[in-house]
Amino acid sequence: MPDTAAIRVLIADDQALIRRGMGMLLDAAPDIEVVGQAADGVEAVALARQLQPDVVLMDLHMPRMGGVLATRQITAALPHTRVMVLTTFDRDDLVFDAVRAGAQAYLLKDASESEVIDTVRAVHRGESRLTPQIARKVMDQFRLLADRIAHEPEHPAAVAPVPATTSGAVATDLQAAEAGTPDPLTDRETAVLELIAKGQSNRQIATALHLAEGTVKNHVSRIMQKLHANTRTELAVLVLARNKRQHEV
């Protein structure tokens, strides 16, 4: 397989043993090439800018700069680089902060070797992946968020200013959508969004809607622009919150 076809991966972890082990694991895959290793968040950001990898394998607790801030800086500066979290920590705040920072996947370090490799490939395709225990935490957060939005006052004047958090971003998007944005979602984009919320990949969505996979990718990009979302997981937040609010009416 030519080098240009390989998925270029940067590994960021403060433990040298983990970096070496992950490097050997990923380099053994015929379609993956490890292009760099970083020992902390500052080095991860610098190497990402220099190497522009396809995927960054990101630990969260590292010296000088943590993985959440490093993820935010990398995804902001390099929109074509996708971040995959691999950590020992599953605290609710870290999980949601990482998702908001732009992480496309969140795995724990007890994941199997095949799961790590499959997730690298999935993230490179633009898919989101969460281990089951992390998925449960994220869905619990989604439900809490949807409940808060569902019970907000109906009149905008009665709504208190929303802080700049995940719930604030979603509430702002929903309020803008209800007020009538100049560029609302089309019926096709709405159908794509619903399937994204169900965890389907671009290929699965293309099959379900009888579209070319490239067409689905274009729809996803436009949906993210319209809803000001950085990841597919954030889109799922919006769908759950909207559906919850509709059911409460």
Side-chain angles (χ1 to χ4, degrees):
M1 177 175 296
D3 291 342
T4 54
I7 302 170
R8 303 173 69 255
V9 177
L10 170 66
I11 299 172
D13 197 294
D14 62 337
Q15 298 183 48
L17 184 61
I18 296 293
R19 293 198 305 274
R20 286 197 296 269
M22 283 296 160
M24 294 175 61
L25 170 67
L26 296 176
D27 269 333
D31 57 339
I32 298 175
E33 175 191 4
V34 176
V35 296
Q37 298 186 15
D40 57 52
V42 172
E43 191 175 355
V45 174
L47 283 177
R49 289 177 179 273
Q50 175 187 340
L51 301 171
Q52 299 193 18
D54 299 309
V55 177
V56 178
L57 199 64
M58 181 74 73
D59 189 20
L60 291 185
H61 276 211
M62 296 184 292
R64 294 206 293 170
M65 180 188 294
V68 170
L69 181 55
T71 296
R72 185 175 297 116
Q73 292 190 11
I74 290 171
T75 55
L78 304 168
H80 298 296
T81 295
R82 297 184 171 96
V83 176
M84 164 185 165
V85 169
L86 183 67
T87 184
T88 57
F89 300 96
D90 64 350
R91 293 199 333 250
D92 292 12
D93 57 333
L94 282 177
V95 171
F96 221 62
D97 284 349
V99 170
R100 277 295 295 162
Q104 292 281 123
Y106 198 115
L107 295 186
L108 298 180
K109 287 183 178 176
D110 60 359
S112 66
E113 294 181 357
S114 61
E115 188 175 5
V116 172
I117 293 173
D118 287 345
T119 301
V120 168
R121 292 169 177 155
V123 167
H124 182 244
R125 293 193 299 266
E127 300 173 18
S128 296
R129 293 288 179 90
L130 302 171
T131 56
Q133 59 267 53
I134 297 299
R136 283 193 294 271
K137 289 177 179 291
V138 172
M139 289 308 298
D140 286 344
Q141 290 290 334
F142 288 177
R143 293 187 183 99
L144 290 173
L145 170 61
D147 285 339
R148 286 198 298 270
I149 293 175
H151 292 93
E152 284 179 353
E154 289 299 320
H155 299 291
V159 180
V162 184
T165 61
T166 302
S167 59
V170 174
T172 300
D173 290 335
L174 286 176
Q175 290 164 4
E178 289 173 355
T181 63
D183 197 13
L185 296 183
T186 65
D187 290 342
R188 179 64 77 188
E189 288 167 349
T190 300
V192 170
L193 179 58
E194 292 290 345
L195 293 176
I196 289 174
K198 294 178 181 178
Q200 294 196 15
S201 67
N202 287 347
R203 183 171 301 176
Q204 291 171 323
I205 294 172
T207 300
L209 299 180
H210 307 290
L211 298 172
E213 190 171 350
T215 301
V216 173
K217 289 181 181 179
N218 290 336
H219 282 312
V220 173
S221 296
R222 284 196 294 270
I223 293 168
M224 286 184 172
Q225 290 173 357
K226 290 180 179 181
L227 298 183
H228 311 292
N230 294 319
T231 68
R232 297 167 77 98
T233 307
E234 284 189 64
L235 291 178
V237 175
L238 293 171
V239 174
L240 182 68
R242 184 196 64 188
N243 290 347
K244 177 69 175 179
R245 190 163 191 169
Q246 289 175 344
H247 292 156
E248 293 288 337
V249 174

